[in-house]
């Protein structure tokens, strides 16, 4: 079941760009980010009801030892979604495929500098292959002037989003032994939602939302985005307990294929040779990183 969970997570996350494209004609990236947390918390609460899992009586005392990791996770997750949603709103719907290799590279380097794991030449080569793939996708054969003025900005936002997403995974690792999976995600996403709402308060109080009439596609996109956020991260955490850890990012990398496919099917986006070649490069590097871990085991 762990492998099934991971494939479901990859499929769900691949719709992230599609959800943003559906909502962006009506809402700004900041509003989309807030709705993602809000609906995500709703689905996590619904999951607790379905599982008949009440909050523990010692919830506050359980959270106190890792409170700073909860705050850190909430801040970086908010930053990750805000920058990713902005870049998706202004770029192709599959642009967030960049975040996955960036997150993997960040976690690999963190294991070296924080947990003192060795970085052999083969693993270093795989990291460079991922980076080259990212650069090839962002370049996409355009002139260097366009690359540095337009693509570089969006790619930089996706890279920053990937770094923040990696920090969130790091915070989850530090919290995992202290709290229940649903409770830890609820704590982080609730705080992230509050952070996302604070900058929006003046606009909401000023009646900015009163004149917006979203269509069914927009509403469906927002609901799906929240479901992906809440249930997707829950399934991901469940899967980590059931399969070898090195298989998690390998199967998650299949979201790259799904994401590009949705962009072509739903938004008629063009996939060039550069995007295909870059995707092959960073998926190859990503798998190479994990196969090295598998060989070590």
């Amino acid at each position: 079941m762990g492998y099934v969970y991971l494939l479901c997570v990859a499929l769900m996350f691949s719709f992230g760009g599609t959800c943003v494209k559906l909502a962006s004609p009506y809402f700004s990236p900041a509003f989309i980010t807030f709705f993602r947390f809000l609906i995500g918390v709703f689905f996590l609460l619904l999951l607790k009801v379905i599982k008949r899992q009440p909050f523990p009586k010692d919830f506050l005392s359980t959270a106190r030892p890792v409170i700073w990791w909860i705050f850190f996770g909430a801040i970086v997750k908010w930053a990750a979604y805000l920058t990713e949603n902005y870049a998706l709103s202004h770029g192709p719907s599959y642009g967030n495929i960049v975040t996955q290799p960036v997150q993997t590279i960040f976690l690999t380097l963190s294991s070296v500098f924080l947990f003192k794991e060795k970085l052999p030449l083969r693993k270093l080569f795989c990291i460079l292959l991922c980076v080259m793939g990212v650069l090839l996708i962002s370049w996409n054969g355009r002139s260097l002037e366009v690359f540095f003025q337009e693509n570089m900005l969006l790619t930089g936002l996706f890279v920053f989003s990937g770094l923040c997403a990696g920090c969130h995974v790091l915070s989850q690792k530090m919290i995992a032994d202290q709290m229940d999976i649903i409770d830890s995600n609820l704590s982080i996403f609730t705080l992230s939602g509050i952070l996302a709402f604070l900058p929006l308060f003046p606009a909401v109080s000023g009646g900015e939302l009163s004149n917006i009439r979203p269509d069914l596609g927009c509403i469906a996109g927002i609901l799906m985005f929240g479901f992906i956020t809440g249930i997707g991260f829950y399934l991901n955490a469940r899967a980590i307990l059931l399969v070898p850890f090195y298989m998690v990012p390998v199967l998650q990398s299949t979201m790259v294929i799904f994401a590009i496919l949705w962009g072509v099917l739903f938004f008629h986006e063009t996939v060039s040779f550069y995007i295909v070649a870059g995707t092959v490069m960073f998926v190859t590097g990503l798998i190479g990183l994990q196969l090295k871990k598998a060989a070590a085991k």
Side-chain angles (χ1 to χ4, degrees):
M1 286 303 296
Y3 295 100
V4 175
Y5 289 155
L6 286 174
L7 288 175
C8 288
V9 170
L11 180 61
M12 291 166 65
F13 285 174
S14 70
F15 281 104
T18 302
C19 294
V20 172
K21 287 297 185 182
L22 291 172
S24 58
Y26 300 92
F27 297 104
S28 68
F31 272 107
I32 295 174
T33 300
F34 168 68
F35 290 144
R36 183 172 185 178
F37 287 122
L38 178 66
I39 305 300
V41 168
F42 167 77
F43 277 111
L44 284 173
L45 289 173
L46 181 61
L47 182 61
K48 283 184 74 71
V49 173
I50 295 174
K51 290 172 65 67
R52 296 181 179 180
Q53 178 184 320
F55 285 98
K57 296 180 179 180
D58 59 344
F59 178 80
L60 293 179
S61 60
T62 302
R64 188 173 295 112
V66 291
I67 189 65
W68 293 113
W69 282 111
I70 292 176
F71 274 104
F72 176 72
I75 293 171
V76 294
K77 201 59 183 173
W78 167 54
Y81 282 166
L82 183 61
T83 51
E84 180 185 18
N85 291 337
Y86 179 89
L88 285 172
S89 299
H90 294 80
S93 66
Y94 52 78
N96 61 339
I97 62 176
V98 172
T99 61
Q100 182 66 28
V102 170
Q103 176 178 324
T104 301
I105 292 171
F106 170 80
L107 293 175
T108 300
L109 295 177
S110 296
S111 68
V112 174
F113 293 106
L114 296 179
F115 304 108
K116 308 302 179 182
E117 295 184 3
K118 294 182 179 180
L119 184 64
L121 289 178
R122 181 179 175 180
K123 185 177 289 188
L124 180 60
F125 172 76
C126 291
I127 291 176
L128 293 176
L129 197 61
C130 287
V131 173
M132 291 297 293
V134 170
L135 292 176
L136 194 60
I137 292 171
S138 64
W139 174 40
N140 198 17
R142 299 186 180 187
S143 67
L144 293 179
E145 181 180 359
V146 173
F147 175 75
F148 284 108
Q149 291 182 357
E150 298 179 7
N151 283 12
M152 201 63 176
L153 173 60
L154 297 182
T155 302
L157 290 175
F158 283 127
V159 170
F160 181 76
S161 177
L163 292 173
C164 291
C167 290
H168 172 251
V169 173
L170 183 62
S171 70
Q172 286 290 78
K173 175 179 175 60
M174 305 303 294
I175 297 171
D177 295 334
Q178 303 288 332
M179 296 184 67
D180 173 77
I181 295 173
I182 301 179
D183 292 340
S184 63
N185 280 325
L186 270 174
S187 301
I188 290 177
F189 290 156
T190 299
L191 288 174
S192 296
I194 294 174
L195 291 172
F197 179 74
L198 289 178
L200 299 175
F201 182 76
V204 174
S205 60
E208 184 174 315
L209 296 179
S210 60
N211 296 323
I212 297 178
R213 298 292 184 270
D215 60 10
L216 291 178
C218 174
I219 296 173
I222 291 175
L223 291 176
M224 184 186 297
F225 220 6
F227 178 82
I228 290 170
T229 302
I231 306 302
F233 277 103
Y234 170 75
L235 291 178
N236 194 63
R238 286 286 303 274
I240 290 175
L241 301 175
L242 300 175
V243 303
F245 187 69
Y246 63 82
M247 286 301 300
V248 175
V250 172
L251 291 178
Q252 280 186 349
S253 67
T254 59
M255 70 164 284
V256 173
I257 302 172
F258 293 129
I260 293 177
L261 180 61
W262 308 148
V264 174
L265 292 178
F266 300 148
F267 303 106
H268 308 291
E269 295 169 343
T270 302
V271 179
S272 67
F273 165 79
Y274 300 94
I275 292 176
V276 173
T279 300
V280 171
M281 288 177 66
F282 78 66
V283 169
T284 301
L286 191 64
I287 293 176
L289 280 171
Q290 307 310 317
L291 289 181
K292 184 62 179 177
K293 293 180 181 179
K297 289 180 179 291

